[in-house]
C-alpha cells in the first residue's frame, strides 16, 4: 500500500493505492496550512486523515509501504522543516515516507512525474515544473505578496472594479475582463 497526501489551504486529501495503482481508500481532512493556525495543526490533521484512510481500508499505518506528504508551506520557512519532517513519523510510526511542498503533488499527478509544468490557480496560485530532475517554483507566496490568478486575486480585482464603477472612477458597464495581470476595461455604449 502506498499513501499519497495532498495538503492545501482548503482541505487535505488522503489516498491509498495498491501496487497495481488501484485506489483502495480515500479520506479528507481539514486544511493543513499551518501558517495561520500554528505548526501543531499539521500533526492533528495528518493524524485524523491517516486514521480515516487506514480505517476505510481496514489497515494500520504499519501496512503502508511508503507515503508522500505534500504539505502547504513546506520549505517556505526553513526553521519549520525539522517539525514538518518529523510529523509523518509520529503519525505513521515508521520512516517510510517523504515530504515536500503540496505543489509537487499537483505536478506529479497532472504529468505522471515526467518533465513539464503544472499551474495551480485555486485558493492560491503557483507554477511548478521539473526538467531533468531539477524543480523550479514560481509564485504561491500568498495573497499578500502575489498569487496572481488565484481566486483571492481575481476577487480583489473584481471588487476594486465594482467600487470604482460605484463611485464614478470607472464608467458603469460590463465587468472589465482580466488579461494576464492587467485589467482591460471595455468602453460602454452611451
Amino acid at each position: 500500500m502506498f499513501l499519497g497526501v495532498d495538503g492545501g489551504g482548503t482541505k487535505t486529501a488522503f489516498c491509498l493505492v495498491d501496487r497495481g495503482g488501484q485506489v483502495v481508500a480515500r479520506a479528507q481532512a481539514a486544511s493543513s496550512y499551518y501558517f495561520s493556525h500554528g505548526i501543531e495543526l499539521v500533526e492533528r490533521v495528518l493524524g485524523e486523515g491517516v486514521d480515516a484512510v487506514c480505517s476505510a481500508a481496514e489497515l494500520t499505518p504499519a501496512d503502508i509501504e511508503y507515503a508522500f506528504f505534500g504539505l502547504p508551506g513546506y520549505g517556505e520557512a526553513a526553521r519549520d522543516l525539522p517539525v514538518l519532517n518529523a510529523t509523518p513519523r509520529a503519525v505513521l510510526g515508521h520512516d517510510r515516507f517523504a515530504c515536500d511542498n503540496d505543489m509537487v503533488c499537483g505536478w506529479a499527478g497532472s504529468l505522471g512525474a515526467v518533465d513539464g509544468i503544472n499551474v495551480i490557480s485555486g485558493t492560491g496560485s503557483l507554477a511548478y515544473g521539473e526538467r531533468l530532475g531539477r524543480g523550479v517554483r514560481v509564485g504561491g507566496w500568498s495573497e499578500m505578496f502575489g498569487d496572481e490568478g488565484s481566486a483571492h486575486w481575481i476577487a480583489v480585482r473584481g471588487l476594486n472594479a465594482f467600487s470604482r464603477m460605484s463611485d464614478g472612477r470607472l464608467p458603469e458597464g460590463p465587468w472589465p475582463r482580466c488579461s494576464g495581470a492587467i485589467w482591460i476595461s471595455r468602453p460602454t455604449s452611451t
Side-chain angles (χ1 to χ4, degrees), residues 7-151:
T10 306
K11 66 181 181 306
T12 303
F14 299 78
C15 185
L16 270 173
V17 297
D18 63 20
R19 283 191 162 273
Q22 297 299 309
V23 174
V24 175
R26 296 175 195 256
Q28 187 172 301
S31 167
S32 50
Y33 184 72
Y34 69 93
F35 287 129
S36 54
H37 298 307
I39 201 162
E40 62 280 349
L41 167 81
V42 178
E43 185 170 346
R44 182 177 54 77
V45 170
L46 295 184
E48 289 171 7
V50 167
D51 286 348
V53 78
C54 284
S55 177
E58 298 179 356
L59 301 171
T60 69
D63 297 317
I64 297 170
E65 189 172 336
Y66 199 80
F68 180 82
F69 292 85
L71 303 173
Y74 184 93
E76 295 172 16
R79 71 181 179 283
D80 294 341
L81 287 176
V83 173
L84 294 175
N85 286 329
T87 299
R89 182 178 302 110
V91 170
L92 295 173
H94 59 75
D95 291 328
R96 299 182 308 272
F97 67 88
C99 294
D100 207 323
N101 195 283
D102 61 319
M103 68 189 164
V104 175
C105 296
W107 164 79
S110 68
L111 298 170
V114 300
D115 287 356
I117 300 168
N118 176 256
V119 177
I120 300 167
S121 181
T123 307
S125 71
L126 64 89
Y128 176 78
E130 287 197 17
R131 182 168 187 265
L132 303 174
R134 182 173 177 263
V136 175
R137 167 200 176 141
V138 177
W141 298 110
S142 86
E143 67 275 1
M144 186 177 293
F145 302 112
D147 272 356
E148 296 85 351
S150 70

Side-chain angles (χ1 to χ4, degrees), residues 153-180:
W153 184 86
I154 292 167
V156 167
R157 276 148 190 80
L159 290 170
N160 179 270
F162 174 78
S163 68
R164 289 185 295 139
M165 284 180 195
S166 296
D167 63 19
R169 293 177 290 141
L170 185 66
E172 286 186 28
W175 283 86
R177 59 187 165 89
C178 177
S179 174

